[in-house]
Amino acid sequence: MAKFEDRLIRDPLPLPTIINPDAIQDFDYRRVVVRGGKWRHDLEMLIGPRMREGKNGFLVVTPLEREDGKGGRTRVLVCRGWIGKEFAPTKKRERFVGALPEGEVVVEGLLREAWRRNMFTPVNKPESGEWYFPDVAEMARHSGSQEVWVEETMKPDLIEAFDREEKGIPIGRPAEVNLRNNHAQYIFTW
């Protein structure tokens, strides 16, 4: 826990253009900044259902495309945050400024290791756009991205979260460590 919290207080690292997925475990929960990228909303993936404060919705994963410095382009997967289920269709978000930003962006977030699916989570169906679990390798193949998962962060602000929720603008996660602690659950089970 202390190792991860130490990574949070450091200045964000610029995310390299090409990332070795095997090195990500050494940077899990490390704050990173991605500059000069453009969102690929046409490749957006919604993971859900996901609950937030008793409301049903989705996590929005949008590939961020940027130049690789060699005349080509690379993409990384960015979990931009949570939106309510009523905003799942992109058309419902188009009218709100900030929901589908265009042009170059700067993203601050946490570099994270790939998630692990539990046995109760349904299998993803990429061909029909049904994502139940953030399988980084599968999502990377589907979107032509590197196997890199960045969770966009924002400062916790209740007013801003309400404003974002009403407009279908993804609500990013706070920059904090969230490790599951199942000890109490195990005590009651056994």
Side-chain angles (χ1 to χ4, degrees):
M1 186 81 160
K3 173 178 71 173
F4 293 134
E5 287 179 349
D6 179 57
R7 292 176 183 172
L8 289 176
I9 61 172
R10 296 179 185 206
D11 289 336
L13 285 173
L15 191 68
T17 319
I18 306 295
I19 298 118
N20 177 353
D22 295 331
I24 292 174
Q25 68 181 359
D26 296 329
F27 294 90
D28 194 22
Y29 280 103
R30 184 64 165 93
R31 290 177 48 217
V32 294
V33 62
V34 186
R35 298 185 191 286
K38 294 184 181 184
W39 294 120
R40 288 295 307 268
H41 298 294
D42 58 320
L43 298 173
E44 177 182 273
M45 296 164 274
L46 300 178
I47 301 172
R50 288 291 190 273
M51 299 294 287
R52 181 181 181 280
E53 296 183 4
K55 296 179 182 172
N56 199 358
F58 298 91
L59 292 178
V60 178
V61 179
T62 310
L64 184 65
E65 187 172 83
R66 57 204 174 126
E67 293 183 18
D68 67 3
K70 300 175 185 174
R73 297 190 175 281
T74 65
R75 296 182 192 134
V76 294
L77 299 170
V78 178
C79 180
R80 296 180 56 214
W82 180 91
I83 59 169
K85 70 177 181 180
E86 66 275 15
F87 290 106
T90 307
K91 291 273 184 213
K92 299 252 179 161
R93 290 179 269 150
E94 286 178 342
R95 62 187 172 150
F96 295 108
V97 174
L100 298 168
E102 294 294 325
E104 291 202 7
V105 295
V106 175
V107 175
E108 282 198 35
L110 300 179
L111 186 61
R112 295 299 323 278
E113 281 192 271
W115 292 38
R116 293 184 180 95
R117 183 172 87 68
N118 69 40
M119 62 189 222
F120 301 107
T121 304
V123 174
N124 291 329
K125 298 177 185 171
E127 64 283 350
S128 59
E130 295 176 47
W131 298 94
Y132 302 103
F133 173 79
D135 183 326
V136 175
E138 185 177 38
M139 296 176 99
R141 282 190 303 276
H142 182 75
S143 64
S145 301
Q146 296 179 70
E147 290 183 31
V148 177
W149 181 265
V150 175
E151 293 180 356
E152 189 171 10
T153 56
M154 63 180 273
K155 290 186 172 134
D157 182 327
L158 192 58
I159 304 295
E160 183 177 350
F162 283 139
D163 186 51
R164 285 174 170 247
E165 185 176 339
E166 290 176 1
K167 296 176 181 175
I169 300 171
I171 301 170
R173 64 167 288 162
E176 61 188 23
V177 178
N178 293 322
L179 299 177
R180 292 184 76 170
N181 181 348
N182 290 325
H183 292 96
Q185 180 180 345
Y186 294 145
I187 290 169
F188 289 113
T189 301
W190 300 108

